[in-house]
Amino acid sequence: MARVSVEYRDHIARVTLTRGDKMNALDPDMVAAIIAAGQEVAASDARAVVLAGEGRSFCAGLDLASFAGMGQRDTHDWLITRSHHDANEMQEVAMVWRRVKVPVIAALQGAVYGGGLQLALGADIRIAAPDTKLALMEMDWGIVPDMGAMALLPSLMRSDVLRQMVYTARPIGAEQGERWGLVTSLADDPLAAALDLAGEIAGKSPAAMRAAKRLIEATESDGRSRMLLTESREQVDLIGKPEQMEVVAARMQGRAPKFE
């Protein structure tokens, strides 16, 4: 079943997560489809990209049922191997949009949690509906954000609010997200606002726009590869032990064994 659609019109690539009945939760097929969409758009002549999710939420994070199978994988090999440039497969869900050579605008609504928030962080700009909720949920499950958050968030947020968000796993509203740097701007119709902005960007010099993104990326990317690998190593230490994995899986399934 298709997980992502890509449409081109007026030099704009419109990329849509199409698993709205599941709040666009990330399962292995969705992960692969997002990366493939990013690679396709990167090879196209699009001048701007709008990244959106169908239905009531942009992306509610990891599909919990798909997570259950992770215990059977070689966690170290899966997370530590740099399968996509300087990232592993899960990190590439976000990082592929940083590799796209033109501006990427994410239109956010509903739940933007965990991996969904980290996907949105891969965009250059995030426009959110006022009732959007954003969270890094991983601490509730006994793990850490490991899909690029720690490589991307320090350039957006103050250290203290970043720490609070990671440590507590509490959702925040879009207005708070705007104050903290997670959200660029608010709009009652974020998709329409994103398409309008993409149209404005697409009307400017493509060569200059690509050069501008290269310059900004060069400024922000110092140390990013090291941070992506460190993120993966920390996660391996947390979920690489079978007994810890059982606790993590149980908490994600709604059961609440205590952390030791």
Side-chain angles (χ1 to χ4, degrees):
M1 183 180 295
R3 293 288 195 264
V4 178
S5 69
V6 183
E7 301 175 2
Y8 299 93
R9 182 179 299 177
D10 299 326
H11 302 293
I12 298 170
R14 182 169 169 174
V15 180
T16 307
L17 311 184
T18 59
R19 203 183 181 210
D21 59 323
K22 298 292 187 181
M23 298 175 70
N24 296 309
L26 300 168
D27 65 0
D29 289 338
M30 177 73 90
V31 167
I34 290 171
I35 294 171
Q39 293 170 339
E40 176 188 328
V41 170
S44 75
D45 61 358
R47 298 181 182 181
V49 183
V50 172
L51 179 60
E54 70 173 18
R56 56 197 175 98
S57 289
F58 172 73
C59 178
L62 197 69
D63 184 309
L64 301 187
S66 72
F67 184 83
M70 288 175 60
Q72 271 78 111
R73 302 185 70 165
D74 184 331
T75 305
H76 182 278
D77 182 64
W78 180 46
L79 294 180
I80 296 299
T81 298
R82 304 293 92 182
S83 56
H84 297 75
H85 304 277
D86 57 357
N88 64 32
E89 181 184 34
M90 297 301 288
Q91 291 168 333
E92 189 68 2
V93 169
M95 300 312 299
V96 69
W97 304 104
R98 292 298 175 109
R99 303 188 209 286
V100 171
K101 297 177 182 179
V102 297
V104 179
I105 307 161
L108 309 180
Q109 81 282 358
V112 186
Y113 290 167
L117 177 53
Q118 292 173 89
L119 165 60
L121 293 175
D124 298 72
I125 295 165
R126 285 160 293 284
I127 302 176
D131 60 354
T132 302
K133 298 294 184 183
L134 309 102
L136 292 168
M137 306 295 292
E138 287 80 1
M139 192 61 65
D140 277 348
W141 306 327
I143 55 178
V144 292
D146 70 331
M147 292 176 61
M150 298 308 179
L152 297 171
L153 281 174
S155 66
L156 297 174
M157 304 175 71
R158 298 192 329 247
S159 176
D160 58 335
V161 293
L162 168 58
R163 289 165 188 260
Q164 178 175 312
M165 193 167 188
V166 173
Y167 295 165
T168 66
R170 290 199 303 255
I172 63 170
E175 290 186 5
Q176 181 78 293
E178 185 181 29
R179 290 194 294 271
W180 282 3
L182 284 174
V183 171
T184 309
S185 61
L186 304 178
D188 290 333
D189 187 339
L191 179 57
L195 288 168
D196 285 346
L197 180 56
E200 180 181 350
I201 289 170
K204 300 186 186 300
S205 163
M209 195 63 66
R210 289 171 180 249
K213 182 159 182 175
R214 285 196 299 270
L215 286 170
I216 295 169
E217 279 295 294
T219 299
E220 295 182 348
S221 62
D222 183 44
R224 185 180 291 169
S225 296
R226 182 180 68 254
M227 192 63 244
L228 287 169
L229 183 57
T230 301
E231 199 180 64
S232 298
R233 285 173 171 158
E234 291 288 354
Q235 196 75 302
V236 165
D237 288 343
L238 289 170
I239 67 176
K241 300 174 183 177
E243 61 274 16
Q244 176 66 12
M245 192 65 185
E246 290 176 7
V247 175
V248 171
R251 291 187 69 88
M252 293 191 74
Q253 293 164 10
R255 296 177 283 128
K258 291 182 179 180
F259 293 117
E260 298 297 335

